[in-house]
Amino acid sequence: MPDIVHDFPIFAPVGAVFDAIATPSGLDAWWTKESEGDPRQGSTYRLSFGPDYEWRATVRRCEPNREIEWEFTTADADWVGTRVGLHLTEGKGVTQIRFHHTGWREENEHYRISCYCWAMYLRLLRRYVERGETVPYEERLDA
């Protein structure tokens, strides 16, 4: 099975990074159009990307300021059953992120598009946490 992985630093304390990746207000600033959820194991997040993209994901792992991982239960067929997670480590005010999107059944067109999209969205995560910059949802993949 193919996986998507990205490792990169964010020049900010781990608490700020965790808030950006685990809270609805943080997620809405760089990834989702609108979301709801509670960063605790077993909870379900609603992740909205517009009227035709109302997705759900269950938190499979969550340790504040260390990691969060969701398993998609309602999404495009290629995403159902996949897991998206971010693992954080901090040293001297820099948070290192290890990102993964695992469980893809095949390396198809949607997988290749998602590889690109994740790189773009994770770049926006970094800009949001480091500079407080937000990009309107409709412009995010072009920013």
Side-chain angles (χ1 to χ4, degrees):
M1 282 189 269
D3 294 329
I4 300 170
V5 295
H6 295 284
D7 293 352
F8 61 99
I10 292 184
F11 295 89
V14 71
V17 176
F18 188 79
D19 287 347
I21 65 170
T23 66
S25 62
L27 292 169
D28 294 349
W30 64 273
W31 183 35
T32 53
K33 187 169 187 167
E34 183 180 51
S35 64
E36 296 174 359
D38 188 25
R40 61 179 168 73
Q41 191 168 341
S43 71
T44 298
Y45 276 66
R46 180 184 63 83
L47 305 165
S48 177
F49 303 93
D52 296 328
Y53 299 95
E54 290 290 329
W55 293 4
R56 301 289 184 275
T58 301
V59 177
R60 294 298 178 209
R61 292 194 312 229
C62 185
E63 186 177 334
N65 298 332
R66 183 161 168 82
E67 73 177 326
I68 191 162
E69 181 186 67
W70 297 272
E71 180 178 351
F72 284 83
T73 56
T74 304
D76 283 346
D78 290 329
W79 278 52
V80 171
T82 66
R83 291 185 178 210
V84 169
L86 298 97
H87 181 81
L88 313 174
T89 55
E90 182 182 20
K92 299 181 182 177
V94 176
T95 301
Q96 186 66 33
I97 294 186
R98 296 188 62 157
F99 168 88
H100 67 266
H101 187 168
T102 59
W104 289 84
R105 289 180 288 283
E106 61 181 327
E107 191 176 308
N108 59 17
E109 181 181 6
H110 194 185
Y111 166 82
R112 290 187 297 280
I113 290 168
S114 293
C115 288
Y116 169 78
C117 290
W118 274 124
M120 297 301 288
Y121 280 119
L122 293 171
R123 181 172 162 261
L124 293 175
L125 165 63
R126 185 175 178 181
R127 289 166 53 182
Y128 169 65
V129 175
E130 289 181 356
R131 301 182 219 160
E133 180 181 352
T134 58
V135 175
Y137 179 80
E138 293 75 16
E139 300 172 20
R140 290 181 182 167
L141 291 180
D142 295 323

